[in-house]
Amino acid sequence: MQKPTLFILAAGMGSRYGGLKQLDGLGPHGETIMDYSVFDAIRAGFGKIVFVIRKDFEQEFREKILSKYEGRIPVELVFQSIDKLPEGFTCPADRSKPWGTNHAVLMGADVIREPFAVINADDFYGRNAFEVMAADLMRDRNGKKGDYSMVGFRVGNTMTDNGSVARGVCQTKDGLLTSVVERTAISYDDKHNIVFTDENDKVQTLEPNTPVSMNFWGFTPDYFDFSQREFVKFLKRDINTPKAEFFIPLCIDTLINDGEATVRVLDTDSRWFGVTYAADRQAVVDKFAELHANGEYPESLFA
């Protein structure tokens, strides 16, 4: 059985962290969140890592990040830039914003030939999430196209006490995704219920086990063809809208609605965490220390 690839979206890192020098060492030996994802992926049976980054920090990325993984797993780099567009399209001169997560995914089309998972560089997903995704990517699809998956985190396992979070709230039927709606301000109320305000200004409550997307997707290589087609449609409609972005859920929703894809929602008991707010940082450092102390991770990930 072909080992799957892990595709890590890291093109936003330079701007988000104010340069790679600030890549935060949150583990006991300065490990970044990304190091835990790579470690968990290797442990779960992934056979290759592909990073999508910006060309302008390639050298620093190779020295500071990739050098750690040498001899442990094959790694490739691909590059996202706003002028990398399909034939016939030219990036508007006033465009500075990247084209979004699904444009980043398209950058992997030339190097990924096997089933692959997509994750964010700056989210901690947990060991079990990688295990359930690896198992799904290694199942036999009998050549069927559009047979995808996503890890559905339980919303109660993805919250912070320090403010609101944005999550893709999932509707499912018979274990399959029917829609993902981005809710930008999910938080605890004064009774510790999980709530958000809907488009009609009505407060809605979410059960803690409600599945949400944390941008952990499982695809086969045919997804690149679908994405290219949908990206062309997106550009025809929105190329001159400065802030329009081509997101993964946007493409997925279209494919589901058109009957071209099914997406299995894989349950996990993993607890997500990340540094959404500065106040989250110490709690994340403490959680990593606890995971090492409990034996979930070795003393040093890549010693």
Side-chain angles (χ1 to χ4, degrees):
M1 181 57 70
Q2 206 173 19
K3 284 188 170 187
T5 284
L6 181 65
F7 193 11
I8 301 180
L9 307 183
M13 279 174 49
S15 54
R16 201 176 309 157
Y17 291 101
L20 289 187
K21 290 186 180 70
Q22 273 84 27
L23 252 184
D24 218 352
L26 298 165
H29 295 276
E31 295 91 347
T32 66
I33 287 180
M34 206 157 53
D35 290 334
Y36 289 92
S37 292
V38 172
F39 186 86
D40 284 334
I42 293 170
R43 183 156 68 168
F46 284 80
K48 182 172 78 176
I49 310 289
V50 177
F51 289 94
V52 57
I53 67 169
R54 292 199 324 272
K55 187 76 177 168
D56 60 354
F57 59 72
E58 177 185 4
Q59 188 176 347
E60 204 175 349
F61 195 87
R62 286 187 185 279
E63 289 166 4
K64 290 194 163 58
I65 309 294
L66 299 198
S67 56
K68 287 188 245 187
Y69 312 138
E70 272 172 20
R72 291 183 167 84
I73 190 167
V75 177
E76 292 198 54
L77 286 182
V78 295
F79 304 100
Q80 183 182 21
S81 64
I82 58 172
D83 53 7
K84 220 165 182 181
L85 298 179
E87 207 174 320
F89 293 94
T90 305
C91 184
D94 60 349
R95 176 91 188 187
S96 59
K97 196 172 183 61
W99 293 105
T101 50
N102 214 73
H103 177 251
V105 169
L106 274 169
M107 301 302 104
D110 291 338
V111 301
I112 298 176
R113 299 278 179 270
E114 55 286 314
F116 65 101
V118 174
I119 64 166
N120 295 331
D122 54 353
D123 286 312
F124 175 82
Y125 293 100
R127 178 178 185 169
N128 180 252
F130 286 93
E131 290 169 348
V132 298
M133 179 56 81
D136 187 76
L137 289 173
M138 287 191 264
R139 68 182 163 81
D140 189 3
R141 285 167 169 74
N142 295 315
K144 184 185 170 194
K145 288 187 175 182
D147 186 351
Y148 307 139
S149 57
M150 61 157 270
V151 178
F153 282 78
R154 302 168 195 174
V155 69
N157 286 343
T158 75
M159 299 295 291
T160 171
D161 288 319
N162 296 312
S164 64
V165 294
R167 300 286 178 256
V169 177
C170 300
Q171 300 291 324
T172 64
K173 186 180 179 186
D174 302 327
L176 297 177
L177 187 67
T178 55
S179 76
V180 186
V181 179
E182 189 72 13
R183 298 296 181 188
T184 52
I186 300 174
S187 61
Y188 290 119
D189 68 8
D190 52 8
K191 294 178 182 167
H192 216 66
N193 295 315
I194 301 170
V195 296
F196 69 91
T197 303
D198 67 15
E199 48 281 348
N200 301 315
D201 276 341
K202 192 172 177 202
V203 175
Q204 303 284 358
T205 303
L206 289 172
E207 289 299 316
N209 284 336
T210 302
V212 293
S213 168
M214 298 299 304
N215 224 28
F216 195 159
W217 300 91
F219 298 123
T220 45
D222 55 89
Y223 186 68
F224 293 121
D225 294 330
F226 285 131
S227 293
Q228 182 78 358
R229 183 192 74 194
E230 293 305 316
F231 188 44
V232 167
K233 289 182 194 172
F234 166 87
L235 290 172
K236 284 178 178 172
R237 187 178 65 240
D238 283 321
I239 192 167
N240 292 312
T241 308
K243 294 197 171 174
E245 290 184 75
F246 183 50
F247 293 118
I248 295 170
L250 192 71
C251 188
I252 285 292
D253 257 359
T254 301
L255 297 180
I256 289 173
N257 290 333
D258 291 349
E260 291 185 291
T262 56
V263 178
R264 297 177 186 220
V265 179
L266 312 174
D267 182 42
T268 181
D269 58 10
S270 284
R271 297 188 74 85
W272 166 92
F273 51 86
V275 185
T276 308
Y277 300 94
D280 293 330
R281 189 185 185 281
Q282 189 55 49
V284 171
V285 169
D286 294 344
K287 280 173 186 165
F288 279 133
E290 188 184 326
L291 288 169
H292 283 268
N294 292 344
E296 181 74 18
Y297 295 99
E299 188 190 338
S300 178
L301 292 186
F302 298 107

